[in-house]
């Protein structure tokens, strides 16, 4: 059983308890992060902590820790866990208070950090690609906040599980936003297209890495709105997230994407991403 951190204490996961009146439980009133760790080295920690700050500011919660404190805490959790590769989950909620929608006058935030085993996507998913479906993006208009209230994402993700697919790609007003738990890129006529960051999508850390690697690879790239028609006519469709890394979508709504195989740009990007991870593991 892994060691977790809860409100100042390090303890076994099965001993960690929060009061039922915690606003995270009652209202989903809290924010979170998942930080990938390779060979016990956190990947883009500063960027994840900056996104945490953005989420906390957006929901008007004070950050309970400075960056040095978070770093020390996460390092301790990572060191105690049995796996070299981990996804460190951290959550901050507005804490326990009598049930009332309005913020409590006095509240003590609940801080929880937990390690999870991180396994790279299976080789078959990388080599063959994965299937996805589309659905209307019926989430709220603050998808840039990494909020624990994930009910819409949960329901949208389950649609793809029910269809035997890996992800649900979301369309809002005729434009691609992202996936239920990932960002989405397409390739058309040799150019990588990425929906721009806005209140309609989570600013993915992997999304940024992929854009940086595209520039390094000399892959033409445009960050601009992507229409549903462009998605459906794409030569390649990619998913990115900290746990999926980069995956090719080779079937969309039961039709092949391009020739139905992961495309040449995907292969280059996947190789570049693996190489980049190796430099991180070496401490570069
Ligand atoms: N969008 C959503 C809705 C997500 O849940 C995630 C993964 N947490 C992402 C995008 C990808 O973000 P990241 O690359 O930081 O994992």
């Amino acid at each position: 059983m892994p060691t977790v951190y809860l409100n100042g204490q390090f303890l076994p996961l099965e001993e960690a308890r929060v009061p039922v009146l915690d606003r995270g439980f009652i209202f989903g009133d809290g924010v979170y992060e998942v930080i990938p760790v390779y060979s016990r080295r956190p990947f883009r920690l500063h960027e994840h902590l900056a996104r945490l700050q953005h989420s906390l500011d957006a929901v008007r919660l004070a950050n309970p820790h400075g960056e040095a404190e978070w770093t020390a805490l996460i390092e301790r959790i990572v060191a105690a866990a049995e796996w070299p590769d981990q996804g460190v989950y951290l959550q901050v909620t507005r804490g326990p208070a009598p049930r009332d929608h309005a913020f409590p006058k006095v509240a003590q935030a609940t801080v929880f950090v937990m390690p999870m085993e991180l396994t790279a996507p299976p080789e078959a998913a990388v080599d063959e690609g994965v299937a996805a479906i589309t659905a209307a993006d019926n989430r709220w208009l603050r998808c840039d906040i990494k909020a624990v209230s994930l009910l819409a994402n949960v329901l949208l993700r389950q649609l793809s599980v029910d269809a035997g697919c890996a992800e649900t790609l979301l369309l809002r007003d005729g434009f691609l936003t992202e996936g239920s738990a990932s960002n989405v890129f397409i390739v058309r006529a040799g150019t990588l297209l990425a929906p721009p960051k806005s209140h309609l999508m989570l600013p993915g850390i992997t999304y940024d890495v992929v854009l940086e690697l595209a520039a390094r690879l000399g892959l033409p790239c445009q960050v601009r709105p992507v229409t549903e028609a462009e998605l459906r006519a794409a030569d390649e469709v990619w998913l990115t997230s900290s746990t999926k890394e980069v995956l090719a979508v080779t079937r969309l709504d039961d039709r092949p994407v391009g020739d139905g195989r992961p495309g040449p740009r995907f292969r280059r990007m996947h190789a570049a991403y693996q190489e980049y991870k190796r430099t991180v593991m070496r401490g570069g």
Side-chain angles (χ1 to χ4, degrees):
M1 196 53 65
T3 297
V4 302
Y5 172 89
L6 181 64
N7 297 332
Q9 274 191 296
F10 290 86
L11 70 177
L13 176 60
E14 74 265 28
E15 287 173 25
R17 296 277 181 277
V18 286
V20 289
L21 283 181
D22 193 286
R23 291 176 61 98
F25 181 60
I26 296 287
F27 295 120
D29 184 359
V31 300
Y32 76 106
E33 272 299 322
V34 180
I35 302 152
V37 172
Y38 300 111
S39 303
R40 297 191 197 276
R41 287 180 200 272
F43 183 78
R44 299 236 158 174
L45 179 56
H46 172 75
E47 289 80 357
H48 279 277
L49 293 176
R51 186 171 65 183
L52 174 68
Q53 186 67 56
H54 168 82
S55 298
L56 288 167
D57 290 344
V59 304
R60 299 163 60 185
L61 264 171
N63 196 332
H65 299 296
E67 183 154 343
E69 276 170 14
W70 278 121
T71 302
L73 217 159
I74 290 163
E75 277 171 0
R76 202 164 147 189
I77 287 293
V78 166
E82 62 182 295
W83 322 282
D85 293 351
Q86 302 168 30
V88 174
Y89 178 88
L90 72 83
Q91 173 173 321
V92 181
T93 77
R94 211 177 305 275
R99 188 184 181 282
D100 178 11
H101 287 55
F103 295 174
K105 293 236 161 31
V106 276
Q108 181 69 46
T110 297
V111 180
F112 176 55
V113 184
M114 160 178 78
M116 301 182 295
E117 186 176 18
L118 183 66
T119 46
E123 243 173 72
V126 175
D127 293 345
E128 310 294 324
V130 296
I133 57 169
T134 57
D137 191 344
N138 56 11
R139 299 172 302 163
W140 69 335
L141 297 175
R142 289 308 306 272
C143 297
D144 56 310
I145 303 172
K146 207 163 167 59
V148 296
S149 31
L150 282 170
L151 184 55
N153 299 67
V154 165
L155 293 173
L156 289 164
R157 171 70 185 101
Q158 190 60 34
L159 292 178
S160 52
V161 173
D162 295 345
C165 292
E167 182 56 300
T168 308
L169 310 194
L170 306 177
L171 297 162
R172 195 192 286 265
D173 301 329
F175 290 92
L176 170 68
T177 53
E178 59 178 337
S180 70
S182 57
N183 291 110
V184 184
F185 292 77
I186 73 164
V187 177
R188 281 207 75 191
T191 298
L192 184 64
L193 299 180
K197 288 181 186 175
S198 75
H199 60 293
L200 300 179
M201 69 174 235
L202 187 79
I205 306 299
T206 321
Y207 168 101
D208 287 338
V209 174
V210 164
L211 286 180
E212 285 172 33
L213 293 176
R216 270 199 230 170
L217 291 171
L219 184 59
C221 183
Q222 283 177 24
V223 177
R224 62 145 172 91
V226 173
T227 66
E228 175 173 356
E230 288 176 315
L231 170 68
R232 298 208 183 275
D235 301 318
E236 301 187 23
V237 176
W238 305 350
L239 303 177
T240 69
S241 82
S242 295
T243 50
K244 293 183 191 70
E245 304 181 345
V246 194
L247 287 178
V249 175
T250 46
R251 286 193 81 74
L252 185 61
D253 290 335
D254 242 347
R255 284 188 288 271
V257 174
D259 65 2
R261 306 275 314 152
R265 280 117 189 146
F266 167 76
R267 290 184 198 288
R268 283 176 66 199
M269 179 56 71
H270 186 265
Y273 195 89
Q274 298 310 309
E275 180 52 37
Y276 183 70
K277 263 173 62 180
R278 281 192 289 273
T279 57
V280 172
M281 286 185 226
R282 287 194 296 264

